[in-house]
Amino acid sequence: MDVDVVIVGGGPNGLMLACELALGGVRPVVLERLTEPSAEPRSNGLVGQVVRMVDRRGLFERLSGSPGPPRPNNAYFMFAAMPLNLGLLADSPIHNLPVPELKTVRVLEERASELGADIRRGHVLTGLVQDDDGVTLTVDGPGGTHELRAGYVVGADSAHSTVRKAAGIGFPGVTHDRTTSRTANATVPSAWLDPATGALNVPGHGPLLPFLPVRTDRGGFTYAPLPGQPPLIATVEWDQEETGEPMTLDELRASVNRVLGADVPLGPPPGAGPHVLRRLDGGNTRVAQRYREGRVFLVGDAAHVFAAGGTGLNLGMQDAVNLGWKLAAAVNGGTDVLDTYEAERRPAADRTITYSQAQAALLAPGDDVTGLRTLFGELLTQPDVVRVLAGLVAGADVRYPVGEGAHPLAGLLAPDLDLRTPEGTVRLAELVRKARPLLLDLTEHGGLRAEGVEVVRATADTDVTAMLIRPDSYVAWASADAHPDQETLRAAAAQWFGVPVGA
């Protein structure tokens, strides 16, 4: 065997997986067709649970350029171009991290290399055949075509995944052509900007808050003044005819006029770029028939794509974190929990489909939709409704399957806690950065122990008395009892880590 794990695709998802495998003691090979990270503007940041996750890997400061920890968004977000007032919640689950995808790739590539991953740029997968013992890949690289033998292969190679196709995994779903989206970096008149709110005041229409989409009967509009780049201006319209011509700023200006019913004098962005200037006709919502075929796995866009409203990196990078420690355990001869990957991550994709479809329905044209939005807007004044939608946006409402009678925290991302230990106060996020199983003993008497699992004795402001935390920072088992049940603790440790836990 040449290598234990090959990851095809060196974007954020593939590189995050490389980091997770390396933390688990596996040195993966990453095959990336591009010789350098793409400078083409793509995603503009991370939203949701993944922001908490990168903090738990010590990457928040590198990505944000500022000291941590990440703070929840307690102001407002959006859902289907309607404001989601997070100030109504005592504890907002939404975290935002504005960062260009190019920086995300560079930070993750640097970290993966530090951990020992072998990143091979300019390498293109052209063939894949697997058997009971491994996978043989045919690769075109700088030195010509060669074969590479791997124990496992993971496709992180986009919606057009070569790995998925070679493994014979279908990609069912829906393609629609009812919308045309236009996006560009552009300048706006400085006199139109409100210094207090950041709103863009458009004569003939009114103020447009930054990052909050606007829906009209004719389409949608978004003004996004992202840091470090000219503002992003975006529109979406229904039933637009394809022109076949390259996208232009004049085309976007005309689209803005149709959507808002007012002119916005957009100017070209300063600097050499590259700048965003793109048109997208239609969209896809698809989920792979299965996430695993023998020794081949899928993560990110190779496993799922969404037509509208999906938080792609939140979903894809968490796929990588979920799969990484499980794959490392299999390679290292530990407990085989690989089948739980799809069981846990497919429901997260299904939930994102719900998120995407609900937003598409509420953004559609028509008086009936306008009426629905009016009623929905009234519901958004209710804290319980905001709480449900905020959890949906953040991906915090997905609980991994757990047995009957499990503590409510089991199956969820471990909460952010400040832990008081004999050595001083430490954040839980700092304790899980090595991606190892952790038993957190918060009982008054202490004495919990787990063979092969690190035990931390501490106190914290929580009703929980003990937590068994997986390498991906999700809770495998928890207790609120003064004397936690040793049998259920032992069973959880054996299920996930294959180690006995004693009293």
Side-chain angles (χ1 to χ4, degrees), residues 473-497:
S473 203
Y474 276 74
V475 179
W477 169 92
S479 175
D481 298 332
H483 297 276
D485 182 68
Q486 295 291 323
E487 291 300 320
T488 58
L489 173 56
R490 183 179 295 111
Q495 173 189 355
W496 290 108
F497 316 126

Side-chain angles (χ1 to χ4, degrees), residues 440-448 457-459 464-466 481-484:
L440 191 59
D441 184 350
L442 304 174
T443 62
E444 290 186 7
H445 56 80
L448 296 180
R457 176 88 176 92
T459 60
V464 179
T465 57
D481 298 332
H483 297 276

Side-chain angles (χ1 to χ4, degrees), residues 297-319:
F297 294 81
L298 304 175
V299 300
D301 287 353
H304 41 67
V305 293
F306 307 96
T311 50
L313 283 185
N314 184 31
L315 192 65
M317 289 174 68
Q318 287 192 92
D319 288 348

Side-chain angles (χ1 to χ4, degrees), residues 3-312:
V3 63
D4 291 317
V5 180
V6 169
I7 302 166
V8 181
N13 300 322
L15 292 170
M16 190 73 187
L17 177 59
C19 292
E20 294 298 300
L21 284 166
L23 286 169
V26 174
R27 186 172 183 261
V29 168
V30 179
L31 303 179
E32 169 53 48
R33 62 181 182 84
L34 298 178
T35 57
E36 295 290 338
S38 173
E40 179 186 350
R42 296 176 185 246
S43 67
N44 295 300
L46 308 178
V47 176
Q49 297 284 80
V50 71
V51 178
R52 297 173 64 198
M53 198 63 242
V54 296
D55 175 46
R56 294 176 185 211
R57 290 299 183 258
L59 296 170
F60 178 79
E61 291 82 357
R62 293 196 194 191
L63 289 167
S64 67
S66 60
R71 302 296 181 189
N73 180 346
N74 293 309
Y76 74 87
F77 201 72
M78 73 292 290
F79 184 83
M82 289 179 280
L84 204 56
N85 183 3
L86 302 176
L88 295 175
L89 305 181
D91 185 17
S92 168
I94 297 180
H95 293 71
N96 305 359
L97 177 53
V99 54
E101 185 167 322
L102 177 58
K103 182 175 181 179
T104 301
V105 168
R106 285 176 171 163
V107 166
L108 290 175
E109 183 168 353
E110 179 182 63
R111 179 58 176 156
S113 296
E114 291 171 359
L115 293 169
D118 181 1
I119 300 171
R120 303 179 184 178
R121 288 193 167 275
H123 286 70
V124 179
L125 176 72
T126 59
L128 180 154
V129 178
Q130 66 170 313
D131 52 46
D132 291 341
D133 300 319
V135 186
T136 301
L137 301 93
T138 304
V139 182
D140 287 346
T145 301
H146 64 281
E147 288 191 345
L148 186 62
R149 183 77 172 160
Y152 297 92
V153 172
V154 181
D157 51 341
S158 82
H160 303 289
S161 173
T162 301
V163 172
R164 187 187 65 240
K165 295 171 184 175
I169 299 175
F171 204 36
V174 176
T175 298
H176 73 81
D177 58 1
R178 63 179 180 263
T179 61
T180 297
S181 302
R182 298 175 176 86
T183 308
N185 287 119
T187 58
V188 296
S190 58
W192 289 17
L193 299 177
D194 186 328
T197 64
L200 177 66
N201 292 306
V202 177
H205 183 275
L208 300 167
L209 289 173
F211 306 106
L212 182 60
V214 172
R215 180 258 185 194
T216 73
D217 286 337
R218 298 168 296 279
F221 173 89
T222 306
Y223 164 66
L226 293 159
Q229 60 174 285
L232 266 181
I233 307 296
T235 64
V236 58
E237 295 182 83
W238 289 271
D239 300 322
Q240 289 285 297
E241 293 184 7
E242 295 186 28
T243 66
E245 299 296 323
M247 167 75 172
T248 66
L249 205 54
D250 284 338
E251 181 182 330
L252 180 60
R253 291 188 193 102
S255 179
V256 172
N257 179 271
R258 288 191 297 269
V259 169
L260 296 181
D263 285 322
V264 177
L266 303 176
H275 297 118
V276 178
L277 185 64
R278 61 173 173 254
R279 179 200 309 115
L280 178 63
D281 295 307
N284 289 280
T285 296
R286 298 183 179 277
V287 179
Q289 286 180 329
R290 53 196 177 277
Y291 285 19
R292 176 185 187 180
E293 179 62 35
R295 292 175 170 271
V296 176
F297 294 81
L298 304 175
V299 300
D301 287 353
H304 41 67
V305 293
F306 307 96
T311 50

